[in-house]
Amino acid sequence: MRHLLALLAMSVAVPAAAQDAERQAATIARADAAARDRFVRAVEASGFAGTYLFYRGTNRIAGGSAGAAVAGASGGFTAEQVWPWASVTKQVVATLVMQEVEAGRLSLDVPAGRYLPALGASSPTIRQLLRHRAGLRNPDDSAADANGFPSFYTTGTGGADWCTAGRGVAGGAPRYNNCDYIVLGALLARTTRMPLPALFQRRIAGPLGLGARFIDPAVGGGPDTVWAGGPDTGDRQAMARFGAAGGIEGTAADLAAFDRALLTGSLLSTAARAEMWRGDPGFGQSSFAVRLRGCAAPVRLVERRGAIGRFAVRNVIAPDLGLSMVLFTNRGDAGLGDVRRGTTHDLLSAGACA
């Protein structure tokens, strides 16, 4: 009799557990549908032109595009179009650096000249390079070309050798500087004995199945790489010179997949990721709490902004909520705002907060 009663209890418990799971799944589905509606309405109200993706964990809440690819013309954006990631590249390079730190092959707080002798004596540490406190020359200070653009990126001398020549004193307040990450890219190439594009392919793009890559002007792009409203051949040639500071190109879906890999821990351990995300500036990104419209309490965000010319990107992760948002536009940087104000804030608030 006791066995019979136990079997009866189990027969009742199993359907009850299944019903609980179904109710929970239905609740999540309703919440995601509501978030999708809010997000899409916010996109329409914002006047945003470009491509967007919004994820909760591995679940795509909203994704698509808005506006014309060429202002005033017919034809919109497509999901397959390749965008310059600009300074989001720094977020990728910081991840590669932290993989090496985690493996014990690099140390954040020893002089980086130990790994890259070109830095010379009394060199900055890797931590100082990651946080823009290295005292290197700044490409923005290079002589202007015929169009008034810093010649480091166009017709003048560029690369890590230029960055390390005439280095100043490390430390002090952060000063945003692409040379910090160009030098980190050279350091990674030397210590891993692998060119940075190949390292990115082996450690990140390959395992995640991404089509993203470092821009190589010698490799012709297809219709999704050179598209109306997108980077032309000349743009890609200039962008390639940003290298480890801004030289990756890929789709919005590629970048969203990178974000999910960071969130799920498939690229870094929890401890290494926390170190990378700590502080403002963090390593290749900024991390801080922001009050989003509609959320009861400030939300911890990891933000990486990027812009080259008319192309701009916002990559935002809310680690505690499991959310990520990617925005790409070819209408310039100013209209996107950031996580505290403007379009980026409005869209993030709509998706994250009821």
Side-chain angles (χ1 to χ4, degrees), residues 174-308:
R175 186 194 177 199
Y176 192 78
N177 186 348
N178 282 330
C179 268
D180 295 326
Y181 279 76
I182 290 169
V183 166
L184 282 168
L187 186 153
L188 282 169
R190 187 176 190 275
T191 56
T192 64
R193 299 182 180 181
M194 190 178 300
L196 188 60
L199 184 64
F200 171 58
Q201 174 62 33
R202 175 173 290 188
R203 297 276 186 83
I204 295 176
L208 298 182
L210 310 183
R213 66 260 175 180
F214 275 85
I215 298 170
D216 183 353
V219 178
D224 293 324
T225 302
V226 180
W227 43 276
D232 59 26
T233 302
D235 290 331
R236 294 182 73 244
Q237 200 148 23
M239 290 169 181
R241 296 192 68 162
F242 282 77
I248 293 179
E249 62 182 0
T251 64
D254 286 337
L255 183 49
F258 170 72
D259 290 344
R260 294 196 301 277
L262 282 177
L263 276 169
T264 58
S266 63
L267 293 176
L268 291 172
S269 69
T270 300
R273 186 184 60 194
E275 180 68 21
M276 183 173 74
W277 283 349
R278 184 164 58 89
D280 177 21
F283 296 172
Q285 53 248 294
S286 294
S287 178
F288 36 66
V290 174
R291 187 167 289 281
L292 298 176
R293 190 182 308 115
C295 282
V299 177
R300 182 167 70 102
L301 299 175
V302 177
E303 180 192 40
R304 177 69 250 184
R305 287 176 269 169
I308 299 178

Side-chain angles (χ1 to χ4, degrees), residues 46 58 67 85 109 121-122 125 132 141 144 174-175 186 195 219 240 257 287 296:
S46 71
T58 58
W85 286 16
D109 295 311
S122 303
T125 65
H132 296 299
D141 299 332
R175 186 194 177 199
V219 178
S287 178

Side-chain angles (χ1 to χ4, degrees), residues 2 297 340:
R2 287 196 302 272
R340 293 186 174 98

Side-chain angles (χ1 to χ4, degrees), residues 27-106:
T27 299
I28 293 172
R30 285 193 297 272
D32 286 351
R36 181 181 304 111
D37 289 343
R38 294 193 306 269
F39 193 92
V40 171
R41 286 198 303 270
V43 169
E44 293 169 350
S46 71
F48 170 75
T51 299
Y52 61 87
L53 282 168
F54 186 77
Y55 274 83
R56 186 188 308 278
T58 58
N59 186 24
R60 192 176 94 160
I61 303 299
S65 63
V70 177
S74 61
F77 301 91
T78 71
E80 294 79 19
Q81 283 166 342
V82 172
W83 292 86
W85 286 16
S87 284
V88 172
T89 302
K90 295 180 178 70
Q91 198 171 17
V92 173
V93 170
T95 300
L96 291 169
V97 168
M98 290 308 296
Q99 287 178 344
E100 290 297 286
V101 171
E102 193 170 14
R105 292 185 286 268
L106 295 178

Side-chain angles (χ1 to χ4, degrees), residues 116-183:
L116 188 66
L119 281 166
S122 303
S123 65
T125 65
I126 290 178
R127 187 185 299 276
Q128 288 171 323
L129 287 164
L130 287 163
R131 287 196 164 152
H132 296 299
R133 292 184 169 100
L136 301 180
R137 297 172 79 188
N138 195 317
D140 292 349
D141 299 332
S142 62
D145 65 13
N147 297 312
F149 202 70
S151 59
F152 178 95
Y153 302 112
T154 55
T155 58
T157 303
D161 289 343
W162 185 95
C163 294
T164 55
R167 176 173 56 80
V169 178
R175 186 194 177 199
Y176 192 78
N177 186 348
N178 282 330
C179 268
D180 295 326
Y181 279 76
I182 290 169
V183 166

